Amino acid sequence: MYNSKSKKATEFIDDAEIRRTLAFAEENKDNLEMVRDILKRAEDCKGLNYRDAMLLLECEDPEIHQEIFDLAGRIKEKFYGNRIVMFAPLYLSNYCVNGCVYCPYHGQNKHITRKKLTQEEIVKEVVALQDMGHKRLALEAGEDPKNNPIEYILECIDTIYNIKHKNGAIRRVNVNIAATTVENYKKLKDAGIGTYILFQETYNKKSYEALHPSGPKSDYAYHTEAMDRAMEAGIDDVGCGVLFGLEMYKYDFVGILMHAQHLEDTFGCGPHTISVPRVRPADDIDPDTFDNGVPDDVFKRIIAVLRIAVPYTGIIMSTRESKEMRAAALHLGVSQISGGSRTSVGGYVEEEAEDENSAQFDVSDTRTLGQVVDWLIDEGHVPSFCTACYREGRTGDRFMSLVKSGQIANICQPNALMTLKEYLEDYAEEGTKKKGEALINKRLEMIPNEKVKEVVREHLNDIHEGRRDFRL
Ligand code: SF4
Ligand code: SF4
């Protein structure tokens, strides 16, 4: 029986309720009056429940599709302005005891190169990332109690936060590791992590169990209830996601919104972010094995309807997607992207030799961070290296109330300009620097609050003179 406040995975993600929702959407998809009514209600930016959202996604009318895209764009602009937050993944170890059939790190894969970074190697990787200009990382590691115990992850976080190299600094470390205990989540919280990220992969229990035939991750309930344990442990910001292509996308679309609803109803705060990865080729993995591929046009609508349904949640898109898809997605609601990513262990310091293959998936957007920043500026976005909220204690419901009031846009934009200025001073090529400076000057003038504008102007000067790390 569906119960959004239940602590049981099969009750807050209820299979029968998902199927009823899908049937409702199928039945009503041609009822344009009903669909337009939902769109009208969504204009107030308070979000939509999974049922309304599914109906929007199911509607096949091309005019409605355009209205969905337009509304998603407006909502994104209202909450986040035109800033795009940048991050990079850092793969610590690809040792893993799980049997996920869609991931080359699965324990039975005997021909992948297994690697685990030492603390010295982490320093080198992070220095390389800092020299690119990154300030925000997402740590990735397989699940292996022997090779990657929680103590190893904690040591890595400590090492990363303590690296001082030129003007570089990693100011926010997000962590994407396997579902764990409340006790371990408390340790991660004490280590100062930003967001705890865990992808559900699929919410369909039967498919989940088939896709995860062995290892601790095969326990659907333990995995699905992980965010509850993380939030009970005091981690305010959690990041959800599904791997589109594993299960029918409609099922997982409803599932992820149900999960968001559960967290909102239980903890008063939904997910901080939702990631939208699609299955990609990798060693031992052929995406054609999964016959649930999501076509580009549907994928764009998924992103846009998510933007409308959960306006307060950041949407993340990685370099799994091509430049073209990322360009489109930025206008539909994606607010955070990775740039210059390496998905192999140790990949930032050196390219893998031909006989090595430690990557989790093939990157589609292979541009450097500098190229991505340059492109974002050309596309009219402000690349942002901001990490201010978490460092100012604006996490969880404190963050959400700022977003819900629309005030976040007044904070994001100044922080984006100041962190972009740092990037331009320290890392950008001349052409990008010129374009970026012009963008900063233009956007500075558009800050509505005169006092804030003055503070930002002063800090931009400070940054030019060599001082760093200003934030609102
Ligand atoms: Fe291991 Fe994660 Fe890959 Fe599964 S998806 S095999 S848990 S690294
Ligand atoms: Fe993110 Fe907060 Fe910075 Fe905006 S001000 S980019 S929400 S950290």
Side-chain angles (χ1 to χ4, degrees):
M1 175 87 117
Y2 177 57
N3 176 0
S4 73
K5 289 187 181 164
S6 170
K7 290 277 169 196
K8 264 183 89 180
T10 48
E11 291 179 357
F12 65 78
I13 305 290
D14 180 60
D15 179 68
E17 175 63 5
I18 294 181
R19 292 183 192 284
R20 278 194 295 275
T21 305
L22 297 180
F24 163 82
E26 172 66 30
E27 230 168 77
N28 293 289
K29 66 181 179 191
D30 297 325
N31 185 339
L32 299 192
E33 204 182 317
M34 195 187 257
V35 172
R36 285 223 158 81
D37 179 59
I38 294 170
L39 276 172
K40 192 154 173 265
R41 276 190 279 121
E43 287 276 359
D44 70 2
C45 302
K46 297 222 167 5
L48 292 175
N49 62 31
Y50 54 81
R51 202 168 219 246
D52 289 344
M54 188 59 226
L55 180 52
L56 284 192
L57 186 62
E58 190 73 339
C59 182
E60 287 165 357
D61 185 90
E63 268 182 37
I64 295 283
H65 291 174
Q66 195 52 50
E67 287 173 38
I68 288 172
F69 291 152
D70 292 346
L71 177 58
R74 288 201 298 280
I75 290 177
K76 168 158 188 259
E77 185 70 27
K78 174 175 166 161
F79 286 103
Y80 301 102
N82 64 345
R83 63 92 173 131
I84 302 294
V85 171
M86 306 302 304
F87 78 99
L90 174 59
Y91 282 76
L92 300 176
S93 163
N94 63 1
Y95 284 91
C96 190
V97 297
N98 285 310
C100 315
V101 302
Y102 49 83
C103 174
Y105 293 175
H106 68 79
Q108 288 75 37
N109 187 354
K110 299 293 174 224
H111 41 88
I112 196 167
T113 313
R114 299 284 171 183
K115 289 185 189 171
K116 171 187 167 182
L117 297 179
T118 63
Q119 299 308 307
E120 291 70 33
E121 286 168 332
I122 286 172
V123 173
K124 287 185 189 155
E125 286 283 291
V126 172
V127 164
L129 281 156
Q130 289 186 3
D131 281 343
M132 290 160 72
H134 277 295
K135 300 281 186 270
R136 177 188 286 246
L137 298 184
L139 300 190
E140 314 274 342
E143 178 167 18
D144 185 331
K146 230 194 253 162
N147 285 298
N148 320 328
I150 191 72
E151 292 71 25
Y152 170 70
I153 305 292
L154 297 170
E155 194 184 357
C156 295
I157 296 168
D158 187 56
T159 298
I160 293 167
Y161 275 137
N162 282 303
I163 296 169
K164 303 275 172 272
H165 165 71
K166 299 185 184 166
N167 280 338
I170 297 302
R171 298 172 180 159
R172 177 174 179 134
V173 175
N174 297 333
V175 174
N176 181 355
I177 60 163
T180 186
T181 59
V182 173
E183 198 191 354
N184 284 346
Y185 285 128
K186 281 189 180 149
K187 290 179 187 168
L188 288 172
K189 157 102 184 149
D190 292 344
I193 68 163
T195 311
Y196 171 66
I197 303 161
L198 183 70
F199 296 164
Q200 178 64 29
E201 322 296 7
T202 176
Y203 284 94
N204 184 316
K205 185 168 182 287
K206 213 166 146 209
S207 304
Y208 182 95
E209 286 165 355
L211 291 160
H212 304 93
S214 58
K217 193 170 169 181
S218 59
D219 185 337
Y220 175 84
Y222 190 73
H223 188 81
T224 311
E225 293 158 10
M227 294 313 194
D228 292 60
R229 293 194 298 282
M231 289 183 107
E232 273 162 31
I235 295 178
D236 288 330
D237 294 344
V238 298
C240 297
V242 290
L243 186 49
F244 283 107
L246 291 182
E247 172 54 42
M248 295 301 287
Y249 71 86
K250 295 176 189 177
Y251 193 104
D252 281 330
F253 177 80
V254 178
I256 204 162
L257 289 177
M258 267 186 170
H259 199 175
Q261 186 72 52
H262 163 68
L263 296 175
E264 176 89 42
D265 290 352
T266 311
F267 298 97
C269 178
H272 190 67
T273 54
I274 287 181
S275 297
V276 289
R278 283 193 289 184
V279 178
R280 288 280 301 153
D283 176 73
D284 205 33
I285 305 297
D286 176 1
D288 293 337
T289 323
F290 308 99
D291 53 7
N292 298 313
V294 182
D296 287 354
D297 59 325
V298 175
F299 191 49
K300 287 177 194 165
R301 283 193 284 123
I302 290 176
I303 293 163
V305 182
L306 278 176
R307 177 71 298 143
I308 294 169
V310 284
Y312 320 129
T313 300
I315 300 182
I316 300 180
M317 182 171 270
S318 75
T319 52
R320 280 174 186 264
E321 295 297 337
S322 65
K323 175 184 170 188
E324 291 70 32
M325 176 52 77
R326 298 201 325 155
L330 291 176
H331 294 285
L332 301 175
V334 164
S335 54
Q336 210 179 115
I337 62 170
S338 46
S341 303
R342 295 281 195 284
T343 57
S344 53
V345 183
Y348 291 107
V349 171
E350 51 184 331
E351 294 273 337
E352 293 209 297
E354 267 194 15
D355 58 346
E356 288 186 312
N357 55 343
S358 73
Q360 194 183 28
F361 58 87
D362 288 353
V363 167
S364 182
D365 185 343
T366 53
R367 291 172 295 170
T368 63
L369 178 64
Q371 289 168 329
V372 173
V373 167
D374 193 77
W375 164 75
L376 285 172
I377 294 170
D378 282 345
E379 294 267 315
H381 304 287
V382 180
S384 172
F385 294 86
C386 175
T387 53
C389 285
Y390 142 82
R391 296 168 76 221
E392 289 292 315
R394 293 190 297 258
T395 57
D397 51 359
R398 286 176 298 279
F399 173 79
M400 285 297 171
S401 58
L402 208 64
V403 185
K404 287 178 184 176
S405 68
Q407 286 306 308
I408 196 71
N410 299 330
I411 296 174
C412 281
Q413 191 72 3
N415 283 327
L417 298 182
M418 291 190 288
T419 55
L420 176 60
K421 174 74 174 169
E422 286 188 339
Y423 175 85
L424 297 177
E425 291 285 337
D426 291 336
Y427 309 105
E429 291 190 356
E430 224 22 70
T432 308
K433 194 169 174 184
K434 223 167 146 194
K435 281 190 270 183
E437 294 286 358
L439 178 68
I440 289 174
N441 290 336
K442 184 172 152 206
R443 287 277 157 183
L444 177 66
E445 291 314 315
M446 292 160 81
I447 293 177
N449 183 314
E450 284 303 321
K451 225 166 144 190
V452 172
K453 195 190 291 184
E454 204 35 53
V455 170
V456 175
R457 205 191 307 273
E458 273 171 30
H459 288 331
L460 290 171
N461 272 333
D462 291 335
I463 293 166
H464 181 64
E465 280 164 17
R467 289 182 284 279
R468 294 290 176 269
D469 201 9
F470 298 98
R471 60 182 181 267
L472 299 184

